[in-house]
Amino acid sequence: MQDTLQRKFYRKEMEVNALLEITQAVNNNLPEVDLYKIYEFTLRANLQLSKMVLYVKDEHWECKVQFGTKKDFTTIPIDSNCFNLKEIVALKEGDLSISCFNEFDIIIPVTHKEKLLAFVFIKTSEEENGVDTTFIQALSNVILVAIENKRLARKQLEQQSIQHEMELARNVQNYLFPDVLPDTKKLEIKAFYKPCNTVGGDYYDYIPVPNENQFLVCIADVSGKGMPAAILMSNFQAVLRTLSRNAESPEQIIHELNHQTWHNAKGENFITFFLAVYDFDKKNLRYFNCGHNHPVLIAKDKVSVLSEGSTVLGAFDPLPFLDRGEIENIEEFSLFMFTDGLTETFNSEGEEFGQERLEAFLVANKDMELQAMHNALMKELEDFKKEKSFADDLTFLSCKVNNATP
């Protein structure tokens, strides 16, 4: 009788010491691998278990601890029959319903707030004098909840880091767009930008060239998203603005932009780009379309799509070809530029908005004020897609020139 009480007292003392050791390790914020080592040592040395396996639900179910087993359970997936177990179960000898785990006789599920965290498989023997499975369950719960909390904290830090990066990328991108666009009888420009995610890959710009009585407008779409795309587009904008002051011709701007994009992106990203330069004195419009969606020009009720140019920037260095588009003796016109998020807006039937529908809309509303036209276009897109969401960034820019002699 006294021996039995002493054994029970000794076992309880070991269990308390084990719990204290585990709690201290958790409080010391030890890495997961160390917590698993302490857990294994506690079960083997303090509780004198001879055989056990611990499966933990991380991204997938994985064997995190094993000792005394005949098989290597790190290579064996957990049996799906286990998932129905809610309480500690004693497996009868010869019961093969838990196929690969029949060398154990007890399965201990570990849960927290009704969430299944792990399974402990143990083998008892007469020498072990009745293992306290409830204590093993409690001990496993303490360490696994701690590991789960560490994992959640790590994910939260990762999310915060990603969010911080996205905020930086968004700030970088916002600096790319011009603060003020012209709004005069001679020249009016309006722009619309709606990123699909926190940070988009679209860019537009307006750059006046006062000494030559010209202005430059452009629109671009970089492959990729997030901070890399924002940095690439930021470098692109810096090069463009420098070249617009110093380059001898628009051709030189295009070739240098391509070279810099190739150099900065190492051929892994590319940029579709459209650039147009209008000369108020010569009354001509020069443009280059580098793999971009075709802008729509409306002049004297004639509709043209501007397609001359080259391939995307950053894919080849040097460019394989470069053709200049030029329209002479043009005094009054409207130019509509956009990225593919507009024409590739889909409805629930899988039909895209498309270039033809866009051109028809622009012709029908060519006399409307630019801002009102933009508002009407957004309503048209919303009515078209209905419950579908925009799958890509949505950017467009309208330019109206009235250069007729008074």
Side-chain angles (χ1 to χ4, degrees):
M1 179 70 174
Q2 186 175 1
D3 290 343
T4 302
L5 290 175
Q6 285 181 340
R7 283 196 301 270
K8 288 183 178 180
F9 176 79
Y10 178 66
R11 181 174 293 280
K12 289 299 179 184
E13 185 179 31
M14 285 194 302
E15 291 177 352
V16 170
N17 290 336
L19 189 59
L20 288 174
E21 186 177 4
I22 290 289
T23 304
Q24 185 176 9
V26 169
N27 292 337
N28 289 337
N29 199 28
L30 293 182
E32 292 179 23
V33 62
D34 291 340
L35 291 178
Y36 282 127
K37 287 180 180 178
I38 293 172
Y39 175 77
E40 177 182 348
F41 176 81
T42 299
L43 295 181
R44 297 185 73 168
N46 293 355
L47 301 187
Q48 298 180 348
L49 283 182
S50 59
K51 180 184 296 190
M52 71 85 62
V53 163
L54 172 69
Y55 274 84
V56 178
K57 177 66 183 301
D58 196 342
E59 296 296 330
H60 307 284
W61 283 95
E62 298 180 30
C63 175
K64 297 291 188 179
V65 178
Q66 66 173 345
F67 59 82
T69 60
K70 299 176 182 178
K71 305 181 183 71
D72 179 9
F73 284 88
T74 60
T75 63
I76 300 174
I78 191 168
D79 196 302
S80 59
N81 289 318
C82 296
F83 300 145
N84 297 321
L85 303 180
K86 304 299 181 183
E87 299 177 350
I88 298 172
V89 174
L91 296 178
K92 297 179 181 179
E93 185 175 355
D95 185 351
L96 301 180
S97 60
I98 310 295
S99 56
C100 293
F101 301 87
N102 54 3
E103 61 178 287
F104 304 101
D105 54 17
I106 295 177
I107 302 177
I108 305 172
V110 182
T111 60
H112 179 65
K113 295 181 179 179
E114 298 184 355
K115 180 181 179 181
L116 188 58
L117 300 180
F119 287 101
V120 184
F121 298 83
I122 63 173
K123 175 71 174 178
T124 59
S125 65
E126 294 180 1
E127 290 76 12
E128 288 166 355
N129 295 317
V131 173
D132 189 344
T133 55
T134 302
F135 176 75
I136 294 176
Q137 189 177 46
L139 185 70
S140 302
N141 185 277
V142 169
I143 197 163
L144 288 170
V145 167
I147 289 173
E148 176 74 4
N149 289 338
K150 288 169 69 70
R151 187 180 299 121
L152 292 175
R154 184 168 61 248
K155 288 183 178 180
Q156 184 177 11
L157 288 174
E158 291 172 354
Q159 288 296 322
Q160 290 175 349
S161 176
I162 293 172
Q163 185 64 31
H164 180 63
E165 178 179 313
M166 297 300 280
E167 289 292 335
L168 288 175
R170 182 168 59 184
N171 291 336
V172 168
Q173 187 179 44
N174 287 338
Y175 288 131
L176 301 182
F177 301 122
D179 295 328
V180 179
L181 294 172
D183 188 6
T184 67
K185 185 176 181 180
K186 190 174 184 178
L187 174 62
E188 180 186 4
I189 297 178
K190 297 292 183 183
F192 177 88
Y193 171 66
K194 179 183 176 63
C196 180
N197 299 306
T198 305
V199 180
D202 292 355
Y203 159 66
Y204 65 84
D205 213 341
Y206 157 76
I207 305 173
V209 189
N211 295 338
E212 300 181 20
N213 201 22
Q214 301 174 352
F215 71 88
L216 179 154
V217 287
C218 66
I219 192 166
D221 187 358
V222 62
S223 64
K225 304 295 179 185
M227 182 59 83
I231 292 175
L232 179 60
M233 197 60 88
S234 178
N235 291 334
F236 186 85
Q237 185 233 36
V239 173
L240 171 62
R241 294 212 160 196
T242 300
L243 290 171
S244 66
R245 294 191 299 267
N246 303 319
E248 296 179 357
S249 66
E251 286 89 342
Q252 184 181 357
I253 293 177
I254 297 294
H255 282 297
E256 186 60 29
L257 283 172
N258 178 71
H259 173 73
Q260 291 297 330
T261 303
W262 168 266
H263 176 75
N264 292 331
K266 313 298 183 185
E268 296 180 0
N269 295 86
F270 59 85
I271 296 176
T272 67
F273 182 59
F274 175 85
L275 176 146
V277 178
Y278 182 72
D279 190 314
F280 284 101
D281 294 332
K282 296 180 181 179
K283 297 184 178 181
N284 77 327
L285 180 73
R286 291 169 291 167
Y287 73 86
F288 298 89
N289 189 332
C290 300
H292 198 76
N293 301 89
H294 298 166
V296 180
L297 179 76
I298 301 178
K300 296 181 179 179
D301 294 330
K302 180 182 178 182
V303 179
S304 305
V305 292
L306 307 185
S307 58
E308 296 294 326
S310 187
T311 186
V312 297
L313 303 183
F316 306 96
D317 189 32
L319 285 170
F321 64 94
L322 182 60
D323 300 324
R324 181 175 70 182
E326 186 165 5
I327 302 172
E328 298 179 335
N329 299 317
I330 180 170
E331 297 178 331
E332 296 182 65
F333 65 91
S334 63
L335 175 63
F336 184 84
M337 300 175 287
F338 61 97
T339 57
D340 55 9
L342 194 162
T343 50
E344 294 180 7
T345 295
F346 288 86
N347 61 19
S348 56
E349 285 75 38
E351 180 186 10
E352 69 174 13
F353 191 76
Q355 179 91 13
E356 291 184 9
R357 190 176 276 106
L358 173 62
E359 291 179 20
F361 172 88
L362 294 174
V363 171
N365 297 278
K366 61 183 178 61
D367 297 323
M368 190 179 292
E369 293 183 356
L370 293 186
Q371 188 58 60
M373 186 270 285
H374 282 192
N375 295 341
L377 177 57
M378 280 305 301
K379 185 178 185 307
E380 186 90 358
L381 288 170
E382 293 287 352
D383 291 343
F384 176 78
K385 73 178 185 65
K386 295 180 180 178
E387 71 278 2
K388 294 281 288 186
S389 58
F390 290 107
D392 200 356
D393 306 328
L394 189 62
T395 306
F396 47 85
L397 182 145
S398 294
C399 174
K400 182 175 287 188
V401 172
N402 182 3
N403 192 30
T405 303

